[in-house]
């Protein structure tokens, strides 16, 4: 009994130290995991903000190009329009911003297809705005998927052509 009386407290002390070290390591693991997740959330929010700005800029210019191109085709004027040419140049620059900010290839492709159709409209090759709705809807859907990967859009959120 004498050896247990001196050995017991020493063993219990060692078990306490081991449990404390294990608890400390597990706590550090949990803190590291939470910090990593917080960093991922912050990076994702920063990406969404950057991409949102690029998308809104692109859409603003796209709207101007569409209005000017369709107004020009409606009037039958086929002469060169420096203002429309400048808008198309701005559209391609805004497209480049999306190309740089996008995480996914579907968004890059959809932005290119929409910009190309708008450029065709500006050249007078498209006279009906309905021809732009498909590429526009694909662009919106791809932008949503890039900003919120893995999340499905709610019913009625799509801007698919009717």
């Amino acid at each position: 009994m004498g050896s247990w009386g001196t050995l017991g407290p020493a063993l219990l002390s060692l078990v306490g130290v081991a449990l404390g070290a294990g608890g400390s390591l597990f706590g550090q693991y949990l803190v590291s995991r939470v910090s990593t997740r917080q960093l991922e959330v912050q990076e994702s929010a920063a990406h969404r903000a950057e991409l949102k700005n690029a998308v809104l800029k692109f859409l603003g210019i796209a709207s101007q190009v569409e209005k000017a191109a369709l107004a020009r085709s409606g009037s039958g004027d086929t002469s060169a329009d420096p203002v429309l040419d400048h808008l198309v140049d701005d559209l391609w620059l805004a497209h480049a911003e999306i190309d740089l900010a996008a995480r996914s290839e579907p968004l890059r492709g959809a932005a290119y297809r929409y910009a190309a159709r708008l450029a065709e409209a500006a050249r007078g090759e498209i006279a009906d705005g309905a021809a732009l709705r498909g590429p526009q809807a694909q662009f919106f859907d791809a932008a949503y998927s890039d900003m919120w990967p893995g999340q499905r859009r709610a019913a009625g959120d799509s801007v698919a052509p009717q």
Side-chain angles (χ1 to χ4, degrees):
M1 174 97 183
S3 66
W4 179 248
T6 56
L7 191 58
L11 285 176
L12 287 177
S13 294
L14 286 174
V15 168
V17 167
L19 285 175
S24 178
L25 289 174
F26 185 67
Q28 288 296 321
Y29 166 75
L30 289 178
V31 167
S32 171
R33 206 170 106 185
V34 167
S35 296
T36 301
R37 179 67 184 135
Q38 286 175 341
L39 181 61
E40 289 172 357
V41 167
Q42 289 172 351
E43 287 175 350
S44 181
H47 168 258
R48 271 195 306 276
E50 178 185 8
L51 186 57
K52 177 185 168 188
N53 288 335
V55 165
L56 289 175
K57 180 179 179 181
F58 178 81
L59 288 174
I61 296 169
S63 175
Q64 292 175 18
V65 169
E66 182 178 351
K67 286 176 187 173
L70 295 179
R72 187 174 115 179
S73 70
S75 70
D77 184 12
T78 58
S79 62
D81 183 355
V83 173
L84 186 54
D85 291 342
H86 182 70
L87 283 173
V88 171
D89 289 343
D90 289 346
L91 178 73
W92 285 113
L93 287 173
H95 166 266
E97 286 184 39
I98 289 176
D99 206 33
L100 292 172
R103 284 185 180 165
S104 67
E105 195 56 40
L107 176 57
R108 289 182 183 101
Y112 176 80
R113 287 186 296 277
Y114 185 35
R117 296 294 275 178
L118 285 164
E120 290 172 1
R123 289 190 304 264
E125 298 170 15
I126 297 175
D128 184 16
L132 299 172
R133 297 304 155 242
Q136 182 186 51
Q138 291 172 353
F139 172 73
F140 281 129
D141 289 340
Y144 184 91
S145 294
D146 197 88
M147 284 190 239
W148 292 280
Q151 292 186 6
R152 297 177 53 93
R153 292 180 77 169
D157 284 353
S158 180
V159 291
Q162 302 298 326

